[in-house]
Amino acid sequence: MPARHVLLAMAVAVMWGLNFIAIDASLQHFPPMFLVALRFALIAIPTMLLVKRPDVPLRWLIGYGLGFGTLQFLFLYWGMAAGMPAGLASLVLQASGPFTMLLGATFLRERVTGPQLLGILVAVGGLAVVGWQRAEHASVLPFLLTLAGALGWAIGNVCNRQARAANPLHLTLWMSTVPPLPMLALALVVEGPARITDSLTDFTGPGALGAVLGLLYTVVIGTILGSGLWTWLMSKHPAGVVAPFSMLVPVTGMTAAWFLLGETVTVPEMLGGVLVVGGVLLGSLVKPRPKRLPDPAPVGARRPGSRTSLGPVLAEK
């Protein structure tokens, strides 16, 4: 991969890592469930007006939107609003990798190799360490909610894979049309119209400006620019070359959270994080063995159904 493409992949990882800081800022003003609806509505409206709907089965488009868009961000935003640190959330969300492998093996009959299974076990061990530390020093509920968000991401990955879109970016944009209505309905029931109205009309609070800027960053930089560049890179290079750069997301997220928000992690949490990243990286770097082609028949050998041994050879030239 050329050096400029490497820099682009690293830039996307930084964009996505900083996205967790932007989400944290947005949650200081907007209620979490309504924030999910608002985030995707800002993308969905121009998408429906300007972008052609991808030619994929509707069930996979809806499944992708429900998994990747609705479930992932419902539980992620809910977990962060309940106390999950931004940096640690960027790490726990990487559990989507092992979850995707398991769902692919269960529902798509995809083969899981020995090294991939080892990677899953290592990542799960790291998550267990992080979860144990959360239970020891803080509430475990935010951790479990964020883990549920990773499962939602994995469900979206499976639906995305089944959709087989010719233009993945168009599918990503149209996926944003699914979450707004169900998330708005859920926000009205759980968070209430009064709280939603206040978040849209009262911007006098100290964190209001940062919340709006964080929302804009999430929509423009994190989603449109970041996903656009990532999709372009995936179209230019094998997935196994590009995908490992996503492991820089929790590194960026945790570093930015430490520098900007003053978040700290315990030594066991750090060790668990290394296991998670290492396990996901191990699973993503394994390449399937190429199928061995049958040896070509000798020129003089007779093939079934041919009158002479030389006829088929001449026909292939």
Side-chain angles (χ1 to χ4, degrees):
M1 194 158 69
R4 63 181 182 278
H5 291 185
V6 172
L7 293 176
L8 282 177
M10 295 176 65
V12 173
V14 172
M15 293 177 198
W16 285 348
L18 294 176
N19 206 29
F20 291 88
I21 309 300
I23 293 172
D24 182 80
S26 299
L27 288 170
Q28 303 305 313
H29 178 77
F30 296 103
M33 297 178 188
F34 176 67
L35 182 59
V36 177
L38 185 59
R39 165 185 176 161
F40 284 104
L42 292 175
I43 304 173
I45 294 173
T47 293
M48 289 187 292
L49 294 175
L50 302 174
V51 180
K52 182 181 177 181
R53 181 185 177 277
D55 185 18
V56 300
L58 185 60
R59 65 182 182 276
W60 298 124
L61 172 61
I62 294 176
Y64 184 31
L66 289 176
F68 183 86
T70 307
L71 294 178
Q72 177 188 187
F73 291 102
L74 163 63
F75 288 114
L76 172 63
Y77 281 35
W78 188 3
M80 291 181 65
M84 187 68 173
L88 208 56
S90 69
L91 169 66
V92 174
L93 210 60
Q94 296 302 313
S96 63
F99 281 148
T100 300
M101 292 182 199
L102 292 176
L103 291 178
T106 303
F107 296 103
L108 305 182
R109 304 301 185 199
E110 294 180 347
R111 181 172 174 266
V112 178
T113 64
Q116 285 177 318
L117 182 59
L118 177 61
I120 291 174
L121 295 176
V122 171
V124 169
L127 288 170
V129 172
V130 175
W132 168 68
Q133 281 293 293
R134 287 284 96 190
E136 286 287 322
H137 298 92
S139 173
V140 73
L141 178 61
F143 168 80
L144 294 177
L145 289 172
T146 308
L147 198 60
L151 178 59
W153 187 355
I155 294 172
N157 285 341
V158 172
C159 294
N160 185 4
R161 189 174 301 169
Q162 290 296 96
R164 298 180 175 89
N167 191 325
L169 181 57
H170 284 191
L171 178 62
T172 300
L173 292 174
W174 268 88
M175 171 275 302
S176 66
T177 64
V178 177
L181 290 180
M183 287 307 306
L184 179 59
L186 187 60
L188 288 171
V189 172
V190 176
E191 297 165 343
R195 188 179 176 191
I196 293 173
T197 303
D198 288 343
S199 70
L200 292 174
T201 57
D202 184 9
F203 291 94
T204 59
L209 178 59
V212 173
L213 294 176
L215 176 59
L216 292 176
Y217 180 95
T218 300
V219 171
V220 178
I221 306 298
T223 303
I224 298 176
L225 181 59
S227 297
L229 287 174
W230 189 261
T231 302
W232 182 80
L233 287 170
M234 293 286 277
S235 69
K236 297 292 183 182
H237 305 283
V241 175
V242 180
F245 284 93
S246 66
M247 293 299 98
L248 295 175
V249 173
V251 175
T252 302
M254 297 182 78
T255 302
W258 167 74
F259 185 74
L260 297 175
L261 304 178
E263 292 181 1
T264 58
V265 295
T266 65
V267 173
E269 284 175 342
M270 185 64 71
L271 293 176
V274 172
L275 290 176
V276 172
V277 173
V280 175
L281 188 60
L282 176 61
S284 66
L285 288 180
V286 174
K287 298 182 179 179
R289 293 181 179 179
K291 294 182 179 180
R292 184 178 178 181
L293 298 176
D295 295 333
V299 174
R302 182 178 180 84
R303 297 185 182 182
S306 61
R307 295 182 179 179
T308 66
S309 61
L310 189 58
V313 177
L314 294 176
E316 290 174 1
K317 290 187 179 181

